[in-house]
Amino acid sequence: MSDAPVMAGIMRDRILNLLKEGKRIDGRGFEDYRDVEIKTNVIEKAEGSAWVRLGETRVLVGIKVDVGEPFPDLPDRGVMTTNVELVPLASPTFEPGPPDENAIELARIVDRGIRESQAVELEKLVIVPGKLVRVIFIDVHVLDHDGNLIDATGLGAMAALLTARIPKLEYNGETGELVRLDEYEPLPVRHVPLPVTFAKIGGNMVVDPSLDEERVMESRITVTFDETGHVSAVQKGEGGSFKLEEVMYAVDTAMRKSSELREMLLSSVDRGLP
Amino acid sequence: MKVKRVEAMMGRPEGLKLIDENGKRLDGRKKYELRRIDMEVGVLKNADGSAYVEWGKNKILAAVYGPREIHPKHLQRPDMAVLRVRYNMAPFSVEERKKPGPDRRSVEISKVIRGALEPALLLEMFPRTVIDVFIEVLQADAGTRVAGITAASLALADAGVPMRDLVAACAAGKIDGEIVLDLNKDEDNYGEADVPVAIMPLKNDITLLQMDGYLTRDELLEAVKLAIKGAKAVYQKQREALKEKYLQIAQEVAGNE
Amino acid sequence: MKKGSIFVKPRELVVPGTLLVQGPFKNGRGTFREGNRIYSTVVGLVEIRGDLVRVIPLEGPYMPEVGDNVLGKIVDVRFSNWVVDIGAPYEASLRVQDATEERIDIMKTDLRRIFDIGDVIYAKIKAYNEVNQIDLTTKGMPFKGGPLRGGQLVTITPSKVPRVIGKGGSMINMIKRLTNTRIIVGQNGWVWVSGRNGELERLAIEAILKVDRESHTQGLTDRVKEFLLEKLRELKERGVITELPKIDEGKEGGGNDGKT
């Protein structure tokens, strides 16, 4: 919003006028996602990976797995971190350098959704309690920005987690030796939380905003549901405001849309619910 | 790093009850009771506007500079003022020393606070300028972002920055399976969810809404509604605090006569 | 009064977002309109005159208006102009041709000999355009527009300038007469105070800051007079002044020394 380049006034007017007639600039209904395409295991060097196209938005998510120390206050849990890079090739508005506030917010929304639903069974990733655990890095590379990076990233992260295969480890308690076996196992995943994002434009709520829509939106809200009907993250973003009824609409619609997305995701990774 | 909820389950003392059989919480509050909140406006000399808020054990100072010239120049907007928000925690504000400077959490919080304040400001009155809002958390005890928004809104009004409405904020959350108002640190640590909300009370516009935790749809909406109620109580205190600065002078003057 | 509802009392202290009136009113400064309702945007005092609703802010930045006389500080000297800080959100500019009647060859003249960095000038706002460029002029201004020598600069909230000047200059005249000082009150809330006696100069400043702080209270003029007389009696006891100035109301005094 604040860092978007100036938008042509006629485009703004067109988007707003169409919404008044109940239409969107690209012909979608208010609750329609753009076309979604998911490919997994696209990066051989990564333990898990997924390429997601949402309309013209493209993100690539890689999962790398390492071994490290647990957090002192969480001795019985593996470690998971999420990082997003908005690389300059994806948009004229992205600058090289350390993650800016947009990258950080995006990573943290997606991270919260996964973490708070305990989607990854971190307790199964402990090698020596308090000493040695698996460390899961979810790294997101945005490749092309055409709006709604949050949902694209959420889909990509879950697709990569669901298809990741991690090497089995053998730990020798006496010698302290850790041997990496040539056998692989899936990453333990118990839930599939997915974010659903809405833009508020001229008082209308539309799902999965495109970049043009994001440029004219007053505000944004994301609700992350898992398959158990629990919400694991909510985030109102940018300026503007929502009425309570609009929040309720977003929550109920997100519940519905996330289950549609989940069905599509699971069939594309060739898996049922965990 | 955000590991709160799991941490909570791990670190939670054996048999700890966040709500006792009489419905009282650890600090003696009832389910829908706010912590004690004190506000003071105009506490700093240099800043164009300032406010200090004590909210439970939270101690928060907010200052506003501007509208003023923006540097570097390319950041300016030809049609409106730019609002910049920096939320910062002092190293000594928490149990274990926090490394100075912005971490990922404070970058995100600064961003959502900006989004919470922006709709209340008539930024179009000051093209090509910047309004800087600085929020310093001197002591933190859960709910620093809602206390920070509350303080920042007071500081903006104190600076005379034109506003459509004040912004008032409050959080609700879930502890021991129940939705309660305004979690303190222990409740946040050992609880199941935290839902910070900011509103412009005049028309019930929600300008900040986040949820960190695990809730059903109904629980989420219950928490949002409860937080809005809390924010309205906070709003009444904000109005009083803004008037207090001047009423005090008036009283003092009257008393001298 | 036309039809409509008024929800506040005159001079009531309000905060941003307070509903003031509903109906056929005009909204002035410190307010915004939505439909037929008018709300306050600032902390301030309500003023309703005829159908015009305003809120006089108790804090806030100086917003320049063409014709305002302001005090400013030179912060930069460029090729053909000076950059001037007038306490507004934007820097102001004084061009050579607006500073003096003389023809100046800018190739041969060091502009710093006219106004140097740090100099305090007294100028009029000549233009304030849509790209927020503020142009000043010092031509025809008292004190030749400056630089002002001696004295002190204090700042008050710009919205309180009328209060410091008082009706027909009553407040500022009283302060000047009782403290034997020269005072210029810029519309931007910058005030220049100069007196031969340092203690009296300081007293004048105290009085001005008192008006600034207590502007929203009643009976201010009398209170400031009492305050000044009491302080003057103290100064006399201490031998700083030999006699108390006479208080003959309504006599000249000259008003704001910066009056054009």
Side-chain angles (χ1 to χ4, degrees), chain A residues 77 83 101-102 105 108 112 115-116 118 226 228 231-232 234-236 238 240-243 252, chain B residues 2 5-7 104 108 111-112 114-115 119 203 205-207 209-215 217:
Chain A
R77 290 282 187 280
N83 191 58
E101 59 172 21
N102 296 314
E105 185 193 27
R108 288 176 62 86
R112 268 203 290 278
R115 187 180 305 280
E116 297 294 332
Q118 304 194 28
D226 70 13
T228 67
V231 186
S232 56
V234 178
Q235 181 101 339
K236 180 249 170 189
E238 305 303 339
S241 62
F242 291 97
K243 299 287 183 197
D252 289 337
Chain B
K2 196 72 217 331
R5 200 164 74 85
V6 191
E7 163 194 330
R104 290 168 68 86
E108 188 201 354
K111 186 173 193 279
V112 295
R114 187 181 74 221
K203 299 216 204 119
D205 292 311
I206 297 169
T207 67
L209 170 57
Q210 292 182 288
M211 196 281 283
D212 187 355
Y214 203 51
L215 296 177
R217 171 205 179 273

Side-chain angles (χ1 to χ4, degrees), chain A residues 90-112:
Chain A
S91 164
T93 62
F94 293 170
E95 305 271 355
D100 66 359
E101 59 172 21
N102 296 314
I104 290 172
E105 185 193 27
L106 170 53
R108 288 176 62 86
I109 295 170
V110 172
D111 186 88
R112 268 203 290 278

Side-chain angles (χ1 to χ4, degrees), chain C residues 180-196:
Chain C
N180 194 21
T181 49
R182 289 186 298 167
I183 301 175
I184 302 177
V185 185
Q187 293 294 131
N188 57 338
W190 291 24
V191 183
W192 178 74
V193 184
S194 175
R196 286 203 196 93

Side-chain angles (χ1 to χ4, degrees), chain C residues 73-94:
Chain C
K73 184 173 66 190
I74 306 287
V75 293
D76 199 0
V77 183
R78 303 256 167 90
F79 180 62
S80 62
N81 71 297
W82 293 267
V83 180
V84 190
D85 176 9
I86 57 167
Y90 312 98
E91 278 174 341
S93 170
L94 174 65

Side-chain angles (χ1 to χ4, degrees), chain C residues 95-109:
Chain C
R95 296 181 302 169
V96 172
Q97 61 266 40
D98 293 321
T100 165
E101 301 287 353
E102 295 167 48
R103 275 193 68 86
I104 293 203
D105 182 350
I106 51 174
M107 301 301 286
K108 290 183 187 153
T109 313

Side-chain angles (χ1 to χ4, degrees), chain B residues 17 59 69 78 155 184 199 211 239 241 256-257:
Chain B
K17 271 190 174 172
K59 296 179 196 295
E69 299 245 341
N184 67 21
I199 58 167
M211 196 281 283
R239 291 173 57 97
N256 285 343
E257 261 163 29

Side-chain angles (χ1 to χ4, degrees), chain B residues 212-250:
Chain B
D212 187 355
Y214 203 51
L215 296 177
T216 64
R217 171 205 179 273
D218 291 350
E219 288 169 337
L220 171 64
L221 294 176
E222 188 187 338
V224 172
K225 287 178 195 162
L226 182 58
I228 290 174
K229 273 195 191 151
K232 287 192 172 164
V234 170
Y235 172 65
Q236 290 309 325
K237 288 178 186 286
Q238 284 178 305
R239 291 173 57 97
E240 285 163 25
L242 279 172
K243 292 183 178 179
E244 182 59 27
K245 177 175 165 184
Y246 301 99
L247 294 178
Q248 229 173 32
I249 296 171

